[in-house]
Amino acid sequence: MTTLGTRPHDAPGAVALLPGPEPRTLLDAPHGTAPLDPALLLRLHRWLVRGRRYNQQATALTKQGRLAVYPSTTGQEACQIGAALALEDRDWLFPTYRDTLAVLARGVDPVEVLTLLRGDWHSGYDPLAHRTAPLCTPLATQLPHAVGLARAARLKGDDVVTLAMVGDGATSEGDFHEALNFAAVWKAPVVFLVQNNGYAISVPLAKQTAAPSLAHKAVGYGMPGLLVDGNDVAAVHQTVREAADRARAGHGPTLVEALTYRIDAHTNADDATRYRDDGEVAAWRRRDPLARMERHLRERGLLDDAEAERAAAEAEAMAAALRAALAVDPRPDPTDLFDHVYRRPTAQLRAQRALLERESAAGPDTGETNR
Amino acid sequence: MSPASTATTGARETTLAKALNLALHDALAADDRVHLLGEDIGTLGGVFRVTDGLAAAFGDDRVTDTPLAEAGILGTAVGMAMYGLRPVVEMQFDAFAYPAFEQLAGHVAKMRNRTRGALPMPLTVRVPYGGGIGGVEHHSDASEAYYAHTPGLHVVTPATPADAYGLLRAAIASDDPVVFLEPKRLYWAKDLLDPARPVPPIGTAAVRRPGTSATLVTYGPSVPVCLAAAEAARAEGWDLEVVDLRSLVPFDDETVCASVRRTGRAVVVHEAQGFAGFGAEVAARVTERCFHHLHAPVLRVTGLDIPYPPPLLEQHHLPDPDRILDAVARLQWDTDPAGEAL
Ligand SMILES: Cc1ncc(C[n+]2csc(CCOP(=O)(O)OP(=O)(O)O)c2C)c(N)n1
Ligand SMILES: [Mg+2]
């Protein structure tokens, strides 16, 4: 497992591409040094509260059989929110299956975020409307998409940055390597954000890599690697924003490693007690990103009980609306299955569609072949 | 070649590789959304010279030598397509396209479907394929069955310069992803090409040689082999029809079945290994649709069920006219249409 503050120091003579020895934090810095303005901090806080509630509600919905599965980001909300809100509307997000809160923070409808996990279709939102790619399950495979889109935008002269998210385990995938290399060679405006939550399902990071940190991998591609405290929403936000600014200015991609922890199991179907102990979880609970943000805001006099209650009430309303929407059984239309395979269904698909329609009309099996 | 093309003005003798080069040139000129990506496709012009001169004509941003990584090439092309471009990707050789298969099966083929049409994938993946050029290991695979088995992809393979030009223009113009399989050993085959001739729509087969005795169903590198077999068959008294599929997906059931219903006998011919190969699909489709017109089971003449052999042995693997004629001879010529022995 990764523990904050135990990174080996950079080798002497290191170039600027190397990450610093300590992850960047802002919330714990002496008051007044945090570069973020109070309105932004309050906005980040409201989103953290909403995100925490969303994770709880979605997990509860799996227990009621309303969702097939839900990979929670409880404990990782600062990464999700801090990074996604660092983007401009015209930028693009490339999320993994776990990054539901980041997608939510892009303005996607809370129910549409869950379409994949409810199972009535694969992707439930319009990627073009929200400049947000579909939740991507095959690990690291969406990273090269983020690079290609960033390059395409740049070739067109558009000011668009892409944020490509990935887990610590998925940095072992070949697509991670290829995406970073292409991005660096093309100077594509991409920010790669690794959420290092210490585990790939059950496998700890020590079994994924012998690198001093995941951020160190940037050096080999010729891009800067940055290490950030992933439970510090201000630090994540500021770091991703600076990397995006750098990309926007034409200086190419950055790799950001955010150190965080998944408090819940991998998904509702996982039993995390098989591979980690309660002590470890308890230690990370003490670094809870929401509690830390609240402490910071209260100490600076930016958050009072009334504001905290407003944020909680708003999150509760969102959760109630989500419960209500998911209480209705979805009725996906089976004939939709043929409509989006190609621009126009082939003759073979038209025949299969007709068969399915006859089956639906007749009820039991008609015994026809499906060709 | 069909005599019709000679009649058109502007027709000239061209190699298949040059026809592809012309198609890429014309597509780049016609549509600035078209971008070429691949290994050695810029200054060198591709190892088969299919992109010769295009980087000089259109610049490095339109014709790009990428880092050497096939998944990365196709994966970044996906992102470019998401932004509205029309990438045309070159895989250097058939067996080197496998690293890109994850992107192809996981994203290229599925993106339109998973997003309900919001993100179509108007990209083309060009793959030089097949044997017969004396290539050493990993340079001669016929991998069409993998692609054809993947819903969401169109799979196209030309056998003439005219089809190479027309089908590649159609592939690039298509809003669906197209795996464009280029028969390596036909790159240098010459025939007449008139770029002004209408583009054959993807999904249509062509009758290359009309005949009455039996139908040879084939595609790509095996088309000339079947035409040679049909010539040789005349000495045996057989008049063979040769159907060139051109498009494996979508599959032209109509043209294939019309031919087999006419002739009553069919042999499917391809280079790829036969087991679970594309020929099995053709044989099944023909049997399901034309059973009462068949005088004999549909036979297959294919590569052997072995990894592609070393070049000095490849002639034993590849279908040749003799093997095709042997199959034709086994089409139960001594039975009447009801299948009873005479
Ligand atoms: C290519 C691929 N292999 C395996 C899986 C199955 N799988 C899903 S999540 C996961 C672990 C991923 O770990 P990590 O990248 O650290 O992300 P995290 O789940 O911790 O957010 C695995 C192995 C997958 N989705 N895709
Ligand atoms: Mg992880």
Side-chain angles (χ1 to χ4, degrees), chain A residues 36 40 43-44 47 78-93 101-102 105-106 160-163 165 191 193 233-248 256:
Chain A
L36 302 181
L40 174 58
R43 178 160 179 251
L44 290 170
W47 270 104
C79 295
Q80 297 280 306
I81 299 304
L85 293 186
L87 294 180
E88 302 293 336
D89 271 357
R90 62 183 182 279
D91 294 336
W92 269 78
L93 173 73
L101 298 190
R106 291 292 287 164
V160 171
V161 166
T162 63
L163 172 62
M165 301 181 67
V191 181
L193 176 67
V233 69
V236 172
H237 184 82
Q238 183 65 16
T239 303
V240 171
R241 158 125 323 178
E242 285 167 7
D245 288 347
R246 207 181 148 267
R248 241 181 261 293
V256 179

Short mmCIF file of all heavy atoms in Angstrom, two decimals, chain A residues 36 40 43-44 47 78-93 101-102 105-106 160-163 165 191 193 233-248 256:
data_model
loop_
_atom_site.label_atom_id
_atom_site.label_comp_id
_atom_site.label_asym_id
_atom_site.label_seq_id
_atom_site.Cartn_x
_atom_site.Cartn_y
_atom_site.Cartn_z
N LEU A 36 -6.59 29.28 -3.49
CA LEU A 36 -7.95 29.24 -4.01
C LEU A 36 -8.85 30.25 -3.31
O LEU A 36 -8.76 30.44 -2.10
CB LEU A 36 -8.52 27.84 -3.86
CG LEU A 36 -7.70 26.76 -4.55
CD1 LEU A 36 -8.34 25.41 -4.35
CD2 LEU A 36 -7.52 27.06 -6.02
N LEU A 40 -14.74 29.55 -4.62
CA LEU A 40 -14.39 28.28 -5.25
C LEU A 40 -14.30 27.17 -4.20
O LEU A 40 -14.79 26.05 -4.42
CB LEU A 40 -13.06 28.42 -5.99
CG LEU A 40 -12.48 27.13 -6.59
CD1 LEU A 40 -13.48 26.50 -7.56
CD2 LEU A 40 -11.16 27.39 -7.27
N ARG A 43 -17.67 26.06 -3.35
CA ARG A 43 -18.23 25.27 -4.45
C ARG A 43 -17.67 23.84 -4.40
O ARG A 43 -18.42 22.85 -4.52
CB ARG A 43 -17.88 25.95 -5.78
CG ARG A 43 -18.36 25.22 -6.99
CD ARG A 43 -18.44 26.13 -8.20
NE ARG A 43 -18.90 25.37 -9.36
CZ ARG A 43 -18.11 25.04 -10.38
NH1 ARG A 43 -16.86 25.44 -10.41
NH2 ARG A 43 -18.59 24.32 -11.38
N LEU A 44 -16.38 23.72 -4.20
CA LEU A 44 -15.76 22.40 -4.09
C LEU A 44 -16.38 21.64 -2.91
O LEU A 44 -16.66 20.44 -3.02
CB LEU A 44 -14.24 22.52 -3.90
CG LEU A 44 -13.44 23.03 -5.11
CD1 LEU A 44 -12.01 23.35 -4.72
CD2 LEU A 44 -13.47 21.99 -6.25
N TRP A 47 -19.81 20.28 -3.69
CA TRP A 47 -19.71 19.11 -4.56
C TRP A 47 -19.20 17.87 -3.81
O TRP A 47 -19.60 16.75 -4.10
CB TRP A 47 -18.81 19.41 -5.76
CG TRP A 47 -19.61 19.95 -6.92
CD1 TRP A 47 -19.70 21.23 -7.34
CD2 TRP A 47 -20.45 19.17 -7.80
NE1 TRP A 47 -20.54 21.32 -8.42
CE2 TRP A 47 -21.01 20.07 -8.73
CE3 TRP A 47 -20.78 17.82 -7.90
CZ2 TRP A 47 -21.88 19.66 -9.74
CZ3 TRP A 47 -21.64 17.41 -8.89
CH2 TRP A 47 -22.18 18.32 -9.81
N ALA A 78 -12.31 13.86 -3.30
CA ALA A 78 -11.50 15.05 -3.59
C ALA A 78 -10.87 14.96 -4.97
O ALA A 78 -10.77 15.96 -5.69
CB ALA A 78 -10.43 15.23 -2.52
N CYS A 79 -10.46 13.75 -5.35
CA CYS A 79 -9.88 13.55 -6.69
C CYS A 79 -10.95 13.79 -7.75
O CYS A 79 -10.74 14.49 -8.75
CB CYS A 79 -9.34 12.13 -6.84
SG CYS A 79 -7.96 11.75 -5.77
N GLN A 80 -12.10 13.15 -7.54
CA GLN A 80 -13.18 13.22 -8.52
C GLN A 80 -13.62 14.66 -8.76
O GLN A 80 -13.69 15.12 -9.90
CB GLN A 80 -14.38 12.42 -7.98
CG GLN A 80 -14.10 10.94 -7.79
CD GLN A 80 -14.18 10.20 -9.10
OE1 GLN A 80 -15.17 10.28 -9.79
NE2 GLN A 80 -13.12 9.50 -9.44
N ILE A 81 -13.90 15.34 -7.67
CA ILE A 81 -14.48 16.68 -7.75
C ILE A 81 -13.41 17.72 -8.09
O ILE A 81 -13.58 18.54 -8.99
CB ILE A 81 -15.15 17.04 -6.39
CG1 ILE A 81 -16.27 16.04 -6.08
CG2 ILE A 81 -15.64 18.47 -6.39
CD1 ILE A 81 -17.33 15.92 -7.14
N GLY A 82 -12.31 17.64 -7.37
CA GLY A 82 -11.24 18.62 -7.57
C GLY A 82 -10.77 18.63 -9.02
O GLY A 82 -10.57 19.70 -9.61
N ALA A 83 -10.61 17.44 -9.61
CA ALA A 83 -10.11 17.37 -10.98
C ALA A 83 -11.17 17.80 -11.99
O ALA A 83 -10.92 18.61 -12.87
CB ALA A 83 -9.64 15.94 -11.28
N ALA A 84 -12.38 17.24 -11.86
CA ALA A 84 -13.41 17.52 -12.88
C ALA A 84 -13.75 19.01 -12.91
O ALA A 84 -13.98 19.57 -13.98
CB ALA A 84 -14.65 16.68 -12.61
N LEU A 85 -13.78 19.64 -11.77
CA LEU A 85 -14.15 21.05 -11.73
C LEU A 85 -13.00 21.96 -12.18
O LEU A 85 -13.17 23.17 -12.30
CB LEU A 85 -14.66 21.45 -10.34
CG LEU A 85 -15.99 20.84 -9.90
CD1 LEU A 85 -16.43 21.42 -8.57
CD2 LEU A 85 -17.08 21.01 -10.95
N ALA A 86 -11.84 21.38 -12.43
CA ALA A 86 -10.73 22.18 -12.95
C ALA A 86 -10.83 22.36 -14.47
O ALA A 86 -10.08 23.12 -15.07
CB ALA A 86 -9.39 21.52 -12.60
N LEU A 87 -11.77 21.63 -15.08
CA LEU A 87 -11.93 21.73 -16.53
C LEU A 87 -12.85 22.89 -16.89
O LEU A 87 -13.73 23.27 -16.12
CB LEU A 87 -12.54 20.44 -17.09
CG LEU A 87 -11.70 19.17 -16.99
CD1 LEU A 87 -12.46 17.99 -17.60
CD2 LEU A 87 -10.35 19.35 -17.69
N GLU A 88 -12.67 23.41 -18.10
CA GLU A 88 -13.64 24.34 -18.67
C GLU A 88 -14.72 23.52 -19.36
O GLU A 88 -14.52 22.35 -19.68
CB GLU A 88 -12.95 25.24 -19.71
CG GLU A 88 -11.77 26.05 -19.18
CD GLU A 88 -12.21 27.11 -18.17
OE1 GLU A 88 -13.39 27.53 -18.21
OE2 GLU A 88 -11.38 27.49 -17.32
N ASP A 89 -15.86 24.16 -19.61
CA ASP A 89 -16.96 23.45 -20.28
C ASP A 89 -16.52 22.83 -21.60
O ASP A 89 -16.95 21.74 -21.96
CB ASP A 89 -18.11 24.42 -20.55
CG ASP A 89 -19.08 24.47 -19.37
OD1 ASP A 89 -18.85 23.70 -18.41
OD2 ASP A 89 -20.03 25.27 -19.42
N ARG A 90 -15.69 23.55 -22.34
CA ARG A 90 -15.32 23.07 -23.68
C ARG A 90 -14.30 21.94 -23.63
O ARG A 90 -14.01 21.30 -24.63
CB ARG A 90 -14.77 24.23 -24.51
CG ARG A 90 -13.51 24.84 -23.91
CD ARG A 90 -13.01 26.05 -24.72
NE ARG A 90 -11.80 26.59 -24.15
CZ ARG A 90 -11.76 27.41 -23.09
NH1 ARG A 90 -12.88 27.77 -22.49
NH2 ARG A 90 -10.60 27.86 -22.66
N ASP A 91 -13.71 21.69 -22.46
CA ASP A 91 -12.73 20.60 -22.31
C ASP A 91 -13.45 19.25 -22.30
O ASP A 91 -14.67 19.17 -22.20
CB ASP A 91 -11.94 20.79 -21.02
CG ASP A 91 -11.06 22.05 -21.07
OD1 ASP A 91 -10.73 22.50 -22.17
OD2 ASP A 91 -10.75 22.58 -19.98
N TRP A 92 -12.68 18.19 -22.37
CA TRP A 92 -13.25 16.84 -22.39
C TRP A 92 -12.72 16.02 -21.22
O TRP A 92 -11.53 16.08 -20.89
CB TRP A 92 -12.88 16.12 -23.70
CG TRP A 92 -13.87 16.31 -24.80
CD1 TRP A 92 -14.00 17.43 -25.59
CD2 TRP A 92 -14.85 15.36 -25.26
NE1 TRP A 92 -15.00 17.21 -26.51
CE2 TRP A 92 -15.54 15.98 -26.33
CE3 TRP A 92 -15.20 14.07 -24.86
CZ2 TRP A 92 -16.56 15.32 -27.02
CZ3 TRP A 92 -16.22 13.42 -25.55
CH2 TRP A 92 -16.90 14.05 -26.62
N LEU A 93 -13.61 15.23 -20.65
CA LEU A 93 -13.24 14.28 -19.59
C LEU A 93 -13.28 12.86 -20.14
O LEU A 93 -14.22 12.49 -20.85
CB LEU A 93 -14.23 14.41 -18.42
CG LEU A 93 -14.08 13.37 -17.30
CD1 LEU A 93 -12.83 13.66 -16.46
CD2 LEU A 93 -15.32 13.33 -16.41
N LEU A 101 -18.50 10.34 -10.00
CA LEU A 101 -18.64 11.68 -9.44
C LEU A 101 -18.04 12.73 -10.36
O LEU A 101 -18.57 13.83 -10.49
CB LEU A 101 -17.98 11.78 -8.06
CG LEU A 101 -18.53 10.88 -6.96
CD1 LEU A 101 -17.93 11.27 -5.62
CD2 LEU A 101 -20.05 10.93 -6.90
N ALA A 102 -16.94 12.38 -11.00
CA ALA A 102 -16.34 13.31 -11.96
C ALA A 102 -17.33 13.58 -13.10
O ALA A 102 -17.49 14.71 -13.55
CB ALA A 102 -15.03 12.75 -12.50
N ALA A 105 -20.01 15.80 -11.91
CA ALA A 105 -19.54 17.19 -11.81
C ALA A 105 -19.42 17.87 -13.16
O ALA A 105 -19.27 19.09 -13.24
CB ALA A 105 -18.19 17.22 -11.08
N ARG A 106 -19.49 17.09 -14.24
CA ARG A 106 -19.52 17.68 -15.58
C ARG A 106 -20.92 18.15 -15.95
O ARG A 106 -21.16 18.65 -17.04
CB ARG A 106 -19.05 16.66 -16.63
CG ARG A 106 -17.59 16.31 -16.56
CD ARG A 106 -16.69 17.47 -16.94
NE ARG A 106 -16.71 17.74 -18.39
CZ ARG A 106 -16.26 18.86 -18.94
NH1 ARG A 106 -15.79 19.83 -18.19
NH2 ARG A 106 -16.29 19.03 -20.25
N VAL A 160 -8.95 23.27 -26.45
CA VAL A 160 -9.58 22.17 -25.71
C VAL A 160 -8.49 21.35 -25.02
O VAL A 160 -7.50 20.98 -25.65
CB VAL A 160 -10.40 21.25 -26.64
CG1 VAL A 160 -10.85 20.00 -25.92
CG2 VAL A 160 -11.60 22.00 -27.21
N VAL A 161 -8.70 21.10 -23.74
CA VAL A 161 -7.80 20.23 -22.99
C VAL A 161 -8.57 18.97 -22.63
O VAL A 161 -9.79 19.03 -22.42
CB VAL A 161 -7.32 20.96 -21.71
CG1 VAL A 161 -6.68 20.02 -20.71
CG2 VAL A 161 -6.36 22.09 -22.07
N THR A 162 -7.91 17.83 -22.55
CA THR A 162 -8.59 16.62 -22.09
C THR A 162 -8.00 16.17 -20.75
O THR A 162 -6.80 16.31 -20.52
CB THR A 162 -8.51 15.47 -23.11
OG1 THR A 162 -7.15 15.09 -23.29
CG2 THR A 162 -9.08 15.88 -24.46
N LEU A 163 -8.90 15.67 -19.92
CA LEU A 163 -8.48 15.10 -18.63
C LEU A 163 -8.73 13.60 -18.71
O LEU A 163 -9.86 13.15 -18.88
CB LEU A 163 -9.30 15.71 -17.49
CG LEU A 163 -9.12 15.07 -16.10
CD1 LEU A 163 -7.69 15.18 -15.61
CD2 LEU A 163 -10.09 15.70 -15.09
N MET A 165 -8.47 10.05 -16.87
CA MET A 165 -8.37 9.49 -15.52
C MET A 165 -8.03 8.00 -15.59
O MET A 165 -8.45 7.30 -16.51
CB MET A 165 -9.67 9.73 -14.75
CG MET A 165 -9.95 11.23 -14.66
SD MET A 165 -11.43 11.71 -13.78
CE MET A 165 -11.08 11.27 -12.11
N VAL A 191 -4.15 16.15 -19.60
CA VAL A 191 -3.73 15.95 -18.21
C VAL A 191 -4.10 14.51 -17.84
O VAL A 191 -5.27 14.12 -17.94
CB VAL A 191 -4.44 16.92 -17.25
CG1 VAL A 191 -3.95 16.68 -15.81
CG2 VAL A 191 -4.21 18.36 -17.67
N LEU A 193 -4.52 11.90 -14.97
CA LEU A 193 -4.66 11.87 -13.51
C LEU A 193 -4.76 10.43 -13.03
O LEU A 193 -5.73 9.73 -13.32
CB LEU A 193 -5.90 12.64 -13.06
CG LEU A 193 -6.16 12.57 -11.55
CD1 LEU A 193 -5.08 13.31 -10.77
CD2 LEU A 193 -7.54 13.11 -11.19
N VAL A 233 -8.83 18.40 -1.61
CA VAL A 233 -9.53 18.80 -2.83
C VAL A 233 -8.93 20.08 -3.41
O VAL A 233 -8.87 20.25 -4.64
CB VAL A 233 -11.05 18.95 -2.57
CG1 VAL A 233 -11.37 20.14 -1.68
CG2 VAL A 233 -11.83 19.03 -3.87
N ALA A 234 -8.44 20.95 -2.57
CA ALA A 234 -7.85 22.19 -3.06
C ALA A 234 -6.56 21.90 -3.82
O ALA A 234 -6.31 22.45 -4.89
CB ALA A 234 -7.58 23.15 -1.91
N ALA A 235 -5.76 21.00 -3.28
CA ALA A 235 -4.49 20.67 -3.93
C ALA A 235 -4.73 19.96 -5.26
O ALA A 235 -4.06 20.24 -6.26
CB ALA A 235 -3.65 19.81 -3.00
N VAL A 236 -5.69 19.02 -5.28
CA VAL A 236 -5.99 18.33 -6.54
C VAL A 236 -6.48 19.33 -7.57
O VAL A 236 -6.02 19.36 -8.73
CB VAL A 236 -7.06 17.23 -6.33
CG1 VAL A 236 -7.50 16.65 -7.67
CG2 VAL A 236 -6.54 16.12 -5.42
N HIS A 237 -7.41 20.19 -7.15
CA HIS A 237 -7.97 21.16 -8.08
C HIS A 237 -6.89 22.07 -8.65
O HIS A 237 -6.78 22.25 -9.86
CB HIS A 237 -9.04 21.99 -7.35
CG HIS A 237 -9.74 22.95 -8.25
ND1 HIS A 237 -10.79 22.57 -9.05
CD2 HIS A 237 -9.54 24.26 -8.49
CE1 HIS A 237 -11.21 23.62 -9.74
NE2 HIS A 237 -10.47 24.66 -9.42
N GLN A 238 -6.07 22.61 -7.76
CA GLN A 238 -5.05 23.56 -8.19
C GLN A 238 -4.03 22.88 -9.09
O GLN A 238 -3.61 23.43 -10.11
CB GLN A 238 -4.37 24.14 -6.95
CG GLN A 238 -3.34 25.21 -7.24
CD GLN A 238 -3.96 26.47 -7.86
OE1 GLN A 238 -5.18 26.66 -7.79
NE2 GLN A 238 -3.12 27.28 -8.49
N THR A 239 -3.65 21.66 -8.76
CA THR A 239 -2.63 20.96 -9.54
C THR A 239 -3.15 20.61 -10.94
O THR A 239 -2.46 20.81 -11.95
CB THR A 239 -2.20 19.67 -8.80
OG1 THR A 239 -1.73 20.04 -7.50
CG2 THR A 239 -1.11 18.95 -9.55
N VAL A 240 -4.38 20.12 -11.00
CA VAL A 240 -4.95 19.78 -12.31
C VAL A 240 -5.15 21.05 -13.14
O VAL A 240 -4.89 21.07 -14.34
CB VAL A 240 -6.27 18.99 -12.15
CG1 VAL A 240 -6.96 18.82 -13.49
CG2 VAL A 240 -5.99 17.63 -11.51
N ARG A 241 -5.58 22.12 -12.45
CA ARG A 241 -5.78 23.38 -13.17
C ARG A 241 -4.46 23.88 -13.75
O ARG A 241 -4.38 24.29 -14.91
CB ARG A 241 -6.38 24.40 -12.22
CG ARG A 241 -6.16 25.81 -12.65
CD ARG A 241 -7.38 26.66 -12.78
NE ARG A 241 -8.55 25.99 -13.31
CZ ARG A 241 -9.73 26.59 -13.46
NH1 ARG A 241 -9.87 27.83 -13.11
NH2 ARG A 241 -10.75 25.95 -13.94
N GLU A 242 -3.39 23.81 -12.98
CA GLU A 242 -2.09 24.28 -13.48
C GLU A 242 -1.61 23.41 -14.65
O GLU A 242 -1.08 23.92 -15.63
CB GLU A 242 -1.05 24.25 -12.34
CG GLU A 242 -1.23 25.39 -11.34
CD GLU A 242 -0.42 25.21 -10.06
OE1 GLU A 242 0.42 24.26 -9.99
OE2 GLU A 242 -0.64 26.01 -9.12
N ALA A 243 -1.84 22.10 -14.54
CA ALA A 243 -1.44 21.21 -15.63
C ALA A 243 -2.27 21.51 -16.88
O ALA A 243 -1.76 21.50 -18.01
CB ALA A 243 -1.62 19.75 -15.21
N ALA A 244 -3.55 21.81 -16.69
CA ALA A 244 -4.42 22.14 -17.82
C ALA A 244 -3.98 23.46 -18.45
O ALA A 244 -3.96 23.59 -19.68
CB ALA A 244 -5.88 22.21 -17.37
N ASP A 245 -3.62 24.42 -17.62
CA ASP A 245 -3.14 25.71 -18.15
C ASP A 245 -1.89 25.50 -19.00
O ASP A 245 -1.74 26.09 -20.07
CB ASP A 245 -2.81 26.67 -17.00
CG ASP A 245 -4.07 27.19 -16.31
OD1 ASP A 245 -5.17 27.01 -16.87
OD2 ASP A 245 -3.95 27.76 -15.20
N ARG A 246 -1.01 24.66 -18.48
CA ARG A 246 0.22 24.35 -19.19
C ARG A 246 -0.09 23.73 -20.55
O ARG A 246 0.49 24.08 -21.57
CB ARG A 246 1.02 23.36 -18.32
CG ARG A 246 2.48 23.41 -18.53
CD ARG A 246 3.19 22.37 -17.66
NE ARG A 246 4.34 21.97 -18.40
CZ ARG A 246 4.38 20.93 -19.22
NH1 ARG A 246 3.35 20.14 -19.33
NH2 ARG A 246 5.47 20.67 -19.91
N ALA A 247 -1.04 22.78 -20.54
CA ALA A 247 -1.44 22.13 -21.79
C ALA A 247 -2.05 23.15 -22.75
O ALA A 247 -1.75 23.16 -23.95
CB ALA A 247 -2.45 21.02 -21.48
N ARG A 248 -2.89 24.00 -22.23
CA ARG A 248 -3.55 25.03 -23.03
C ARG A 248 -2.54 25.95 -23.70
O ARG A 248 -2.72 26.40 -24.82
CB ARG A 248 -4.45 25.86 -22.12
CG ARG A 248 -5.91 25.82 -22.48
CD ARG A 248 -6.72 26.68 -21.54
NE ARG A 248 -7.37 25.91 -20.49
CZ ARG A 248 -8.34 25.04 -20.72
NH1 ARG A 248 -8.79 24.81 -21.94
NH2 ARG A 248 -8.86 24.36 -19.73
N VAL A 256 -0.25 13.49 -13.37
CA VAL A 256 -0.48 13.82 -11.96
C VAL A 256 -0.85 12.53 -11.23
O VAL A 256 -1.76 11.82 -11.65
CB VAL A 256 -1.62 14.84 -11.81
CG1 VAL A 256 -1.85 15.16 -10.32
CG2 VAL A 256 -1.33 16.12 -12.59
#
